[in-house]
Amino acid sequence: MTDASRLPDDRVAAFQIQDQPVRGRIVGMGPAIDAVLSAHAYPAPVAELLGEACALAALIGSALKFDGRLILQAQGDGPVRYVVADYGTEGTLRGYCRYDEGELAALTADDARPGAHRLLGKGVFVMTLDQGLDFERHQGITPIEGDSLALCAEHYFQQSEQIPTEVRLSVGHLTDENGSGWRAGGMMIQRLAGDAARGETEDAWDRARALFNTISADELIDPQVPSETLLYRLFHEDGVRLEAAQPLEARCRCSADRIATVLDSFSADERAEMVEPDGNIHVTCEYCARVYALEAGTT
């Protein structure tokens, strides 16, 4: 392996298999994903789904060539109505879920770890690119396919971009001598199209896929298996180059001013109905669960 340095937690990086028409990205998260998931008291299956969405958003969003956001979401008619992960190209992550407690309890009564398809039901997988107020948002939508968000992403790239893609995601709550917390990891490879210089790429892609499919879920979140070690295990015979890493952090964009602006869109009568006994309007950010108490007269 060449040009690789150890990736600490909360980093995402691109890699290239040496002289092969296969590119990829790898992500490993500790404190960042623990902050996102620990902000909510989600049941384990819901927290794991959100963790996968955040890891996937980092893998895809870190490849963007503009300043802005990637918003990845899946919504359906299952117990989890909605999962969203919001990645900022400066390396920020936030996310949340909406779910029905009764339906989730019924689903998990005989299956403690249902897949994404059972959690979400029939619905759509959506990726939105947001370059700011001066640009129109670009949105791609495909049906939820397969039993995981990884399979949803593979289907999305095949249908929307015609790019053969393989994705692996893993989320877990681990305990070691340093304490306990959530971890998430993921890896994605994509096949480059053949051309006069590359020639036919199918055989190289089949080989890369076969090696890629030997990844275990535990390897992706093991703090003792850094990214360069995992890549070496998979692709050392061909050689693999790890690019510079993008740091990741949990950061929400909510603020009292933003909340006040939203409240201003309601009529005075509507705002009056929101006032609680302490004289304030209380608003909870869905992303980070921070509670804002705004004086009714200041909105």
Side-chain angles (χ1 to χ4, degrees), residues 243-263:
E243 307 291 349
Q246 164 75 56
L248 300 170
E249 65 172 314
R251 188 200 305 169
C252 192
R253 292 191 303 277
C254 68
S255 68
D257 288 342
R258 285 176 180 263
I259 299 298
T261 298
V262 172
L263 290 176

Side-chain angles (χ1 to χ4, degrees), residues 49 52 56 73-76 115-118 120-126 141-160 167 169:
L49 184 67
E52 289 183 1
L56 183 57
Q73 64 194 67
Q75 56 193 71
H117 193 270
R118 295 190 70 197
L120 291 162
K122 294 181 180 180
V124 292
F125 178 82
V126 184
I141 303 174
T142 58
I144 292 174
E145 295 282 349
D147 201 37
S148 68
L149 288 183
L151 290 173
C152 288
E154 292 175 7
H155 178 73
Y156 175 89
F157 279 107
Q158 185 61 50
Q159 295 298 312
S160 298
V167 180
L169 303 169

Side-chain angles (χ1 to χ4, degrees), residues 1-237:
M1 186 171 193
T2 59
D3 301 331
S5 59
R6 180 186 176 93
L7 287 189
D9 281 338
D10 301 333
R11 296 289 189 277
V12 59
F15 64 87
Q16 178 77 44
I17 301 176
Q18 201 76 15
D19 301 322
Q20 298 293 328
V22 180
R23 65 187 180 189
R25 306 190 80 82
I26 186 167
V27 63
M29 288 188 284
I33 197 63
D34 187 63
V36 172
L37 300 184
S38 296
H40 309 278
Y42 292 147
V46 179
E48 290 167 4
L49 184 67
L50 178 56
E52 289 183 1
C54 288
L56 183 57
L59 286 173
I60 299 171
S62 60
L64 298 178
K65 304 302 182 184
F66 59 82
D67 292 333
R69 298 158 57 205
L70 169 75
I71 304 164
L72 183 151
Q73 64 194 67
Q75 56 193 71
D77 61 3
V80 178
R81 303 289 195 263
Y82 191 86
V83 58
V84 58
D86 184 324
Y87 172 86
T89 53
E90 69 276 24
T92 60
L93 277 168
R94 61 178 187 165
Y96 73 95
C97 293
R98 292 177 184 166
Y99 67 99
D100 184 281
E101 291 184 10
E103 292 182 21
L104 181 67
L107 176 64
T108 55
D110 60 355
D111 184 358
R113 292 293 184 271
H117 193 270
R118 295 190 70 197
L119 287 169
L120 291 162
K122 294 181 180 180
V124 292
F125 178 82
V126 184
M127 286 202 292
T128 304
L129 302 180
D130 184 352
Q131 299 184 63
L133 297 177
D134 295 332
F135 300 88
E136 290 188 9
R137 286 186 170 190
H138 173 75
Q139 190 171 79
I141 303 174
T142 58
I144 292 174
E145 295 282 349
D147 201 37
S148 68
L149 288 183
L151 290 173
C152 288
E154 292 175 7
H155 178 73
Y156 175 89
F157 279 107
Q158 185 61 50
Q159 295 298 312
S160 298
E161 310 291 340
Q162 288 76 55
I163 301 175
T165 302
E166 295 275 332
V167 180
R168 294 292 179 273
L169 303 169
S170 182
V171 179
H173 194 273
L174 305 185
T175 301
D176 58 23
E177 65 275 8
N178 298 316
S180 64
W182 287 99
R183 295 187 62 81
M187 192 185 301
M188 175 175 71
I189 58 171
Q190 293 184 312
R191 173 184 171 183
L192 302 178
D195 57 23
R198 296 191 187 99
E200 177 53 53
T201 64
E202 185 173 352
D203 289 345
W205 174 243
D206 287 344
R207 171 178 167 78
R209 287 178 62 205
L211 295 170
F212 184 81
N213 286 328
T214 66
I215 301 169
S216 73
D218 289 344
E219 285 179 302
L220 286 170
I221 59 174
D222 188 339
Q224 302 305 314
V225 182
S227 296
E228 79 276 12
T229 298
L230 183 52
L231 290 174
Y232 181 81
R233 288 178 181 177
L234 296 173
F235 305 118
H236 66 277
E237 291 186 3

